[in-house]
Each structure stands twice: as C-alpha cells, then as structure tokens.
Amino acid sequence: GQNIDQPTEMTATEGAIVQINCTYQTSGFNGLFWYQQHAGEAPTFLSYNVLDGLEEKGRFSSFLSRSKGYSYLLLKELQMKDSASYLCAVRPRLMGQLTFGSGTQLTVLP
Amino acid sequence: SAVISQKPSRDICQRGTSLTIQCQVDSQVTMMFWYRQQPGQSLTLIATANQGSEATYESGFVIDKFPISRPNLTFSTLTVSNMSPEDSSIYLCSSRPPPPDTQYFGPGTRLTVL
C-alpha cells in the first residue's frame, strides 16, 4: 500500500521561514511532487524531486532523501498569499498516477 | 506547461441524474487522470484515462458509476452516473505532458448533488 504523512496544520508569521515535512512509504518511487492549493481552486504545481538533494525555485525549495522516505518544502520570506494547503504527492511508477498526502494547511499571520 | 480547461466549472444536480464533465488539454499528452476531492480532503484518483482503450479504475471506483472516454490525446470526459449527495465533490482532470516530471491540474468542476 501507499502511505504519505504530512502535518495537518502549520502557522507562521509573515516574513518568516517555514518547513513542511512529508514522509512516505510506497511500493515504488519515481518522483515526489509538491502542490499549492488555495481554497476553492485547483492544485498548482510547485516542485518535483526524483534525485536526493535540494531543488530551489525562488522563495520555494524542496528537498528529498529517498533512503529516508522523506521530503520537505521550504518557504522563505513568507507572504500572506502563501496561506494555502500544501500537498505532497508521490509517483510510485514512472507512467503511473500520483498518490497524495492529506495536505498541510498553512496559515500566515501578519 | 499544459493548459487544461474543464466544463462545466460547477453544477447543481438532482439525485439520480448524470453529469458529464469535459476536459481539454492544449497539447497532446500521454497520460490523463481524473481525481476527486471531497470537502476538506485531499485528492483521490478515480481512474487513468487511456487513449483508445478502457480507462483503468482505482479500487473503489467502477466504470458503471464513472464512465470515462478518451477519444484522442487532448480530450477526455468523466460521467458521474446516478448521482447521490455523496457524489458532491470537486472533480479534477489532470495531465502529464512529456517529459514526465510534471503533472498539471485543470480548474476543477464543483458538483453539488441535492
């Protein structure tokens, strides 16, 4: 079976840094994805990791350790508009579907 | 990136009726998927829409309830049949253009069944 865990909720202050963790246990691994989803909207693709290490894209970075079944999404210089749900998803097979975690609801406070 | 559109964006339907949701991608894609997101929950895969053959359904979802068509590499439909209030959800189309390191979602169809 597939199991993906991430915290349900997190709160941080505008301008701060927040790290959202994701651990996974899946029958295979061919990539880990992070999405941002604002209330009432579709998920927006943020990042993709398939090799160990850190991928940086502006204020957002994503890290992967395949041996530990672990990833995190790092958000720097938080803005109010970053308040959203962040979804971790694993693709067990190259041509297969994504399996999603339950999402982390991030609230950014002024 | 792939641009995905869905129609309708939302609908309110009566119990026992059926609704067909359309998904259009602006480029040819190998993989198309249909997901459901129930209120306050994460995304659950319904099925993979295969071009030229029957869709592949996930456990808990059946073709009679969720028939899917994929007539070409840019278009797919999902029908929610014989609806009940439990089918109230957001239905999302997703596609994976080559290379397979990204996956995009359409804007979703918000369905309410009375």
Side-chain angles (χ1 to χ4, degrees):
Chain A
Q2 325 289 4
N3 192 40
I4 301 173
D5 290 317
Q6 47 181 134
T8 304
E9 295 177 329
M10 298 185 72
T11 303
T13 305
E14 194 174 15
I17 298 173
V18 70
Q19 178 175 311
I20 303 174
N21 295 325
C22 172
T23 58
Y24 63 90
Q25 291 176 305
T26 55
S27 55
F29 181 83
N30 210 284
L32 187 141
F33 296 71
W34 283 97
Y35 287 86
Q36 179 191 63
Q37 186 176 29
H38 287 100
E41 299 182 11
T44 303
F45 171 78
L46 290 178
S47 69
Y48 165 80
N49 294 70
V50 68
L51 300 176
D52 290 351
L54 188 68
E55 295 280 342
E56 297 188 73
K57 277 188 182 181
R59 292 190 300 114
F60 292 6
S61 303
S62 56
F63 171 83
L64 175 68
S65 169
R66 289 172 295 170
S67 62
K68 296 181 180 177
Y70 168 70
S71 172
Y72 66 73
L73 180 69
L74 192 71
L75 292 76
K76 304 176 186 175
E77 302 170 12
L78 280 173
Q79 302 174 9
M80 300 296 291
K81 67 178 182 180
D82 297 329
S83 291
S85 181
Y86 291 86
L87 305 171
C88 173
V90 173
R91 184 173 63 201
R93 296 177 292 111
L94 178 62
M95 299 307 287
Q97 76 284 3
L98 298 184
T99 300
F100 282 84
S102 56
T104 298
Q105 183 63 45
L106 173 67
T107 302
V108 180
L109 302 174
Chain B
S1 65
V3 176
I4 305 172
S5 59
Q6 283 184 235
K7 289 194 297 186
S9 59
R10 58 177 63 230
D11 207 343
I12 300 173
C13 301
Q14 296 294 324
R15 179 195 296 264
T17 62
S18 298
L19 175 72
T20 295
I21 303 168
Q22 299 180 6
C23 175
Q24 179 74 53
V25 187
D26 69 343
S27 59
Q28 293 187 342
V29 294
T30 305
M31 312 291 288
M32 290 182 76
F33 307 91
W34 286 98
Y35 286 82
R36 181 172 74 181
Q37 187 173 29
Q38 294 181 305
Q41 299 191 19
S42 191
L43 283 75
T44 301
L45 180 69
I46 297 171
T48 301
N50 302 309
Q51 196 266 329
S53 64
E54 277 194 2
T56 305
Y57 290 84
E58 297 300 301
S59 175
F61 298 96
V62 294
I63 188 171
D64 290 346
K65 176 66 175 178
F66 297 101
I68 288 171
S69 78
R70 176 116 190 248
N72 57 50
L73 292 175
T74 63
F75 185 78
S76 178
T77 67
L78 169 75
T79 299
V80 186
S81 303
N82 188 24
M83 287 184 285
S84 67
E86 292 71 34
D87 294 321
S88 296
S89 186
I90 299 174
Y91 292 85
L92 294 144
C93 173
S94 179
S95 77
R96 181 180 304 161
D101 58 353
T102 56
Q103 187 162 328
Y104 300 99
F105 287 84
T109 297
R110 185 178 295 271
L111 172 63
T112 302
V113 184
L114 303 177

